[in-house]
Amino acid sequence: MRKTRCGVAVVVAVLCSLVAVRVHGASRPDLSGAWTLNRDFSEFPSEVGFDPDWHDSDTAGRTGTGRSGGGRGRGRGGGGSVSGGGSSRAGSVSTRFESEEDSRKIRELMNEVKEPSEHLTITQMDAAVTIVDARGGARTLHIGGKEDTVQLDAGPVGVITKWENAQLVSRLLVQRDRELRYRYSRDPVTRQLVVEVQFAEHGRGAVIKRIYD
């Protein structure tokens, strides 16, 4: 009797494991393949980028774009310090300063979103996904939720990539509180590749959707 019960317990454990694997696998679609942009079903807003509401009269008087070439900090820490509760309009120093390198990175990423690649080739593995665009540029995203680095023409940018249910989410850490977020998934009906792009500032920002066949 004891052996029978043990055998039943083993069978139940195996079945539960198989069910868990199937559910886990179903939540992570296969993104691999050669994809072509479907312009008819994709969104192309006239303007993309971060909200420039950090401009004020002080910086605007120094440069036409409100950016300072002598800004301190790089990458995620590129933003200037924020005084406690003060407003830039009230004369406090709460303006975000950008270094020239930060400005180049942002312009490069904006152009990347404005003119999405007509073709994407994706290779998916358990630990990483590699995306190659029509120009041959490759970006390897290591999955696991730990900060990594991707190399732009303008310089390195931190990135965190992980699965969130059925979406592969990649967050490019442009500056403090500023991220360019990519979400990759498969439409459950059409099986098309869905790429959602968001210039997220303090976690908020409009989402642009692109569809690939």
Side-chain angles (χ1 to χ4, degrees):
M1 179 66 70
R2 181 175 298 176
K3 290 183 178 180
T4 302
R5 289 179 178 175
C6 291
V8 171
V10 170
V11 171
V12 171
V14 170
L15 290 175
C16 289
S17 298
L18 290 174
V19 170
V21 169
R22 288 181 179 179
V23 171
H24 183 69
S27 66
R28 296 183 178 181
D30 185 7
L31 306 175
S32 300
W35 303 94
T36 301
L37 181 64
N38 188 324
R39 288 189 165 272
D40 292 335
F41 291 94
S42 298
E43 298 173 347
F44 297 91
S46 57
E47 295 183 2
V48 300
F50 294 108
D51 185 1
D53 60 0
W54 42 269
H55 291 186
D56 67 4
S57 58
D58 182 44
T59 56
R62 277 177 276 172
T63 65
T65 61
R67 295 174 179 171
S68 171
R72 57 197 176 109
R74 296 177 59 184
R76 296 181 65 188
S81 60
V82 179
S83 59
S87 168
S88 60
R89 294 182 178 86
S92 62
V93 182
S94 60
T95 304
R96 180 191 298 274
F97 294 100
E98 286 181 6
S99 67
E100 181 59 32
E101 182 181 359
D102 285 342
S103 298
R104 290 197 303 267
K105 291 176 183 178
I106 291 174
R107 286 196 297 269
E108 182 176 340
L109 292 173
M110 287 174 59
N111 291 333
E112 176 181 304
V113 176
K114 283 181 179 178
E115 301 177 3
S117 178
E118 293 288 335
H119 302 281
L120 295 176
T121 301
I122 300 179
T123 303
Q124 179 175 327
M125 296 177 288
D126 290 339
V129 170
T130 299
I131 303 173
V132 182
D133 61 24
R135 296 174 291 275
R139 182 173 295 171
T140 298
L141 305 171
H142 294 97
I143 304 169
K146 295 182 179 180
E147 184 170 343
D148 196 11
T149 302
V150 295
Q151 186 68 38
L152 305 179
D153 291 339
V157 171
V159 62
I160 297 175
T161 304
K162 64 179 180 178
W163 286 103
E164 293 184 2
N165 298 321
Q167 289 186 322
L168 182 68
V169 180
S170 184
R171 300 162 47 211
L172 277 71
L173 312 174
V174 182
Q175 289 179 315
R176 186 178 60 190
D177 299 324
R178 281 182 164 186
E179 301 177 356
L180 177 59
R181 298 178 181 176
Y182 280 91
R183 296 181 177 91
Y184 302 89
S185 61
R186 295 283 297 274
D187 187 285
V189 177
T190 65
R191 306 306 298 162
Q192 293 167 308
L193 176 69
V194 181
V195 181
E196 295 177 327
V197 190
Q198 180 185 32
F199 284 91
E201 197 155 11
H202 295 280
R204 300 183 299 273
V207 176
I208 305 167
K209 181 179 289 188
R210 305 279 165 64
I211 302 296
Y212 286 81
D213 298 322

